[in-house]
Amino acid sequence: PVEGGDDLGIGLVLRVLVRQVLAVHEQELGPQQPDALRLKARVVGMQGDVAAAQARLKALGNTAKAILDANGKLVEIVIQDGSEVTAEDLELFGRLKDLKKLQIFNCRDLNDAMVSNLVGLGKLETLALTNTVITDEAVQTITKAFPDLIELDLSSNTNMTSSAMRIIATLT
C-alpha cells in the first residue's frame, strides 16, 4: 500500500456518502429542493478534496507543500520532488477549483493524459510541470484550458518539439 493511501480515499468516501444522502433526500423531498442539496453536496465534496490533498502532500514529505488562504481554500501546491506523484494525485488536484498555483517539479511519470485532469482549474495563474514526459499535445491542452496563465514553466520536458513554442505563444 502507498503511504497515505488511506487518507487519499477520504475525499472519495465523502463524495460517495454525500451522493447517497442526496439521493435519499431527493426521494423524501421530491424535486422541490434538489439544487440546494446539490450545492451543499458540492461544498462538502470540495472540503473533502482539500483534506485529501493536504493528506497526500503530507505523505509526499518535506518537498511538498500546500498553502491555504484565509478562508481555508487551497490556493497553492508546490511539489519539489514529483517522483512519487501519481495520476490519482493529478485527478485530485484537478478538483481543487480555488487553486491558483500548481508546481510539480521532476515528475518523469507525468504524461499528457495526466495533464488533461487539470483542465477544470479555472483560477490557475501559475503552472510548472518540469522534467516530465509531456508532449506538444499537453502544451495544446494547457494553452486552451488556461489562456490567462501568468507564469508557465515547462522546462526539461524533452518530448516537446519546437512547435510547442508556437503553441505557447498563443497565450495572452
Side-chain angles (χ1 to χ4, degrees):
V2 175
E3 183 179 320
D6 291 333
D7 292 334
L8 188 60
I10 291 171
L12 178 61
V13 170
L14 278 173
R15 278 192 302 286
V16 169
L17 289 173
V18 166
R19 285 186 189 127
Q20 290 172 350
V21 169
L22 179 61
V24 169
H25 281 291
E26 283 183 357
Q27 287 175 350
E28 291 174 0
L29 299 173
Q32 65 224 26
Q33 293 184 354
D35 290 338
L37 290 172
R38 283 194 209 318
L39 178 61
K40 186 174 183 178
R42 195 166 50 234
V43 168
V44 169
M46 285 188 286
Q47 291 170 343
D49 288 338
V50 169
Q54 288 179 296
R56 179 61 180 136
L57 293 169
K58 184 177 180 183
L60 289 172
N62 293 336
T63 65
K65 70 175 183 174
I67 295 179
L68 284 79
D69 68 7
N71 297 316
K73 295 178 181 178
L74 185 52
V75 294
E76 184 175 319
I77 292 175
V78 178
I79 302 171
Q80 295 294 330
D81 177 9
S83 62
E84 300 294 322
V85 172
T86 66
E88 291 79 18
D89 294 333
L90 271 285
E91 284 181 41
L92 174 61
F93 300 158
R95 293 192 303 267
L96 301 170
K97 303 301 182 195
D98 295 305
L99 203 61
K100 294 181 180 180
K101 180 178 186 176
L102 176 61
Q103 295 180 310
I104 303 173
F105 300 99
N106 301 310
C107 185
R108 291 302 297 164
D109 292 331
L110 200 151
N111 58 38
D112 294 354
M114 292 165 73
V115 169
S116 67
N117 289 322
L118 302 175
V119 298
L121 299 176
K123 296 181 181 179
L124 203 63
E125 298 172 350
T126 300
L127 178 63
L129 304 172
T130 70
N131 197 21
T132 72
V133 293
I134 64 171
T135 67
D136 295 354
E137 183 179 331
V139 176
Q140 186 74 37
T141 299
I142 290 166
T143 58
K144 284 182 179 179
F146 314 117
D148 298 322
L149 273 179
I150 297 169
E151 294 180 47
L152 177 62
D153 181 355
L154 299 175
S155 59
S156 301
N157 291 312
T158 58
N159 291 340
M160 294 185 312
T161 69
S162 59
S163 296
M165 289 306 295
R166 284 191 288 279
I167 298 168
I168 293 169
T170 64
L171 288 171
T172 55

